[in-house]
Structures are given as C-alpha cells and as structure tokens.
Amino acid sequence: MSSQVALMVLVDIQSSAKISGILRLMFARLWLWSTPGLEFYKHMGSGRNGGFSIHPSGTHQALFCVFQDSASLDAFCQSSKLMRWYKEHAKDFFSVKLKAYSLKGQWSGFVPQITAQTPQSGPIVSITRASIKPLYCLPFWRKQPAAEVSLQQSSGCIIAAGVGEAPFFRQATFTIWESQAAMDQYARQGAHQRAISASLSGHYFSESMFSRYLPFDAQGSWKGRTLG
C-alpha cells in the first residue's frame, strides 16, 4: 500500500495581520511547489466566519497538501515558513494528518491514493470539492444554505469548514465526524441528499471529488475549541 499522506490546515489570522495573510494566499505558491516530497497542494480562502458564505473572509484560510510519505510531511511542518507564520499570527490554528480510505473523482486532475482501510470506529474526515459550471452557479448556491444549516445541526459533526480556490466557482467542504455512522446519517438527510442528487446529475460540476480519510495527529484549535 502507498505511503502517501495528506495534511489539512485551517487558520483564522489575527486582524492585525490580515493584509499579510492575503498576500501569502496570493503568493505562497511561488515557494510551496519547491517543497521536497510535495505531490499536490491547494492554498485556499474561505467564506465569512470560516463557513460557506458567498461573501469571502479576509482572515480565514486553508491549506491542503499531499506528500509522498510521512517523513516529507513532518519535515514540512517543522521547517515551513508559511506554517510558522500561521502559528505566530493566528487566532485559531488547526492541523490534522490524513490517510485516504475512500475516493471518487479528482482535484485539478490529481487523484489521491488510497492508503488506509475503512475504519470500524472513531472519527473520520470528509473532503468534497467541485468546480461549478458557470451556468449552474446560481442554482447551486440556492441549494447551499439549506445544506449548510442541515450540516451545522447534524449530530456527530465535530468541525465543518467551507473553503475554496476561487469565489463562487471552485469550492470545497472539510468536515470531521465522530464516526462513519454519523457521516452516513447526515448524507441521508433531506437538504444534503437533494444537493448530492443534483450534483450527481452531471449538470452542475465540470470536476468533482468526494473523499474520506482516517485522521491522526490533530493539533490546535478551531473557532475557540481545542482539538487533538
């Protein structure tokens, strides 16, 4: 089995460092690709309050990276200037390592490798992302508020964050669940089920990825809640 491992980082930057944070979101790509062992990454913004709003947040950001092995990931966490800056200028900083156990689709042509068995118990992570076709942007966002309310009220959801590469059109959702059963129960609820059915019709997205991961080595806090 492959030794590939991923990292998700969520950060809420202090207001005093907001401009510097935006500049890093714009230009960090200039040095991230030279990271040893890095196979894929997405440096993303977020909706207002770290959620799914069409209104962008000036302080919430996310970083998703896939490394060829754990040694490369650990070296990045220890030596990355971006990671160090985030920790020094964050109101909230949360990171978690991930191994994929279920995946459908791709992200900018990249397909993460399955590196873990489906867990029988304990927490899981879900990452869903999509490139929304321009003609279907408005119908998609009309469905999104109901699905978000359903998610926030769902039992067993530990973290829910809306992130994206570009406003309106290239969006992703990161969630942590207490168990696979909790995630599956939410997936069967009305608002989310209707949104998924619409997306699977083939009309809404030019590209999508639905993935689940085994989380480990979680550190930090999110929205004032200590995790890990």
Side-chain angles (χ1 to χ4, degrees):
M1 185 173 288
S2 168
S3 58
Q4 191 181 77
V5 61
L7 173 73
M8 177 63 86
V9 175
L10 301 176
V11 60
D12 183 11
I13 299 165
Q14 297 169 7
S15 297
S16 59
K18 176 180 177 179
I19 300 302
S20 295
I22 293 173
L23 290 173
R24 278 165 174 77
L25 183 60
M26 294 171 61
F27 298 113
R29 69 191 68 183
L30 298 177
W31 66 81
L32 274 172
W33 270 125
S34 63
T35 302
L38 181 65
E39 298 185 338
F40 178 82
Y41 85 91
K42 289 294 179 180
H43 197 188
M44 298 170 284
S46 178
R48 184 177 295 167
N49 298 319
F52 304 85
S53 171
I54 61 174
H55 304 287
S57 168
T59 62
H60 290 85
Q61 295 183 16
L63 179 66
F64 178 69
C65 299
V66 179
F67 290 87
Q68 64 185 19
D69 52 37
S70 293
S72 300
L73 188 157
D74 292 342
F76 171 77
C77 291
Q78 294 169 9
S79 63
S80 167
K81 293 180 180 179
L82 179 62
M83 292 283 281
R84 183 165 59 250
W85 188 90
Y86 272 160
K87 291 177 181 178
E88 292 173 350
H89 296 86
K91 290 189 293 184
D92 268 330
F93 175 92
F94 173 72
S95 67
V96 61
K97 298 174 183 178
L98 308 166
K99 290 188 176 181
Y101 70 87
S102 175
L103 190 139
K104 180 179 180 180
Q106 59 186 9
W107 197 339
S108 296
F110 179 80
V111 181
Q113 298 173 9
I114 299 299
T115 57
Q117 302 289 334
T118 301
Q120 301 303 308
S121 62
I124 69 161
V125 162
S126 171
I127 299 177
T128 63
R129 61 81 46 189
S131 296
I132 306 164
K133 295 178 181 178
L135 288 177
Y136 291 90
C137 185
L138 288 178
F140 173 84
W141 282 104
R142 288 194 186 105
K143 296 177 182 295
Q144 185 62 30
E148 180 182 358
V149 170
S150 175
L151 175 59
Q152 293 174 339
Q153 295 176 347
S154 183
S155 175
C157 183
I158 299 172
I159 283 182
V163 296
E165 305 163 64
F168 305 109
F169 299 112
R170 300 173 72 185
Q171 299 294 309
T173 301
F174 170 79
T175 50
I176 301 181
W177 298 85
E178 291 178 353
S179 66
Q180 177 86 38
M183 169 68 190
D184 290 341
Q185 180 167 347
Y186 166 70
R188 292 191 293 267
Q189 292 179 2
H192 183 265
Q193 184 61 53
R194 289 191 295 272
I196 289 296
S197 297
S199 70
L200 293 178
S201 69
H203 298 303
Y204 280 74
F205 305 148
S206 59
E207 185 188 57
S208 62
M209 186 180 82
F210 301 86
S211 53
R212 296 184 181 183
Y213 300 82
L214 182 67
F216 64 102
D217 197 14
Q219 300 179 19
S221 64
W222 186 242
K223 295 189 175 181
R225 179 183 177 186
T226 300
L227 300 157

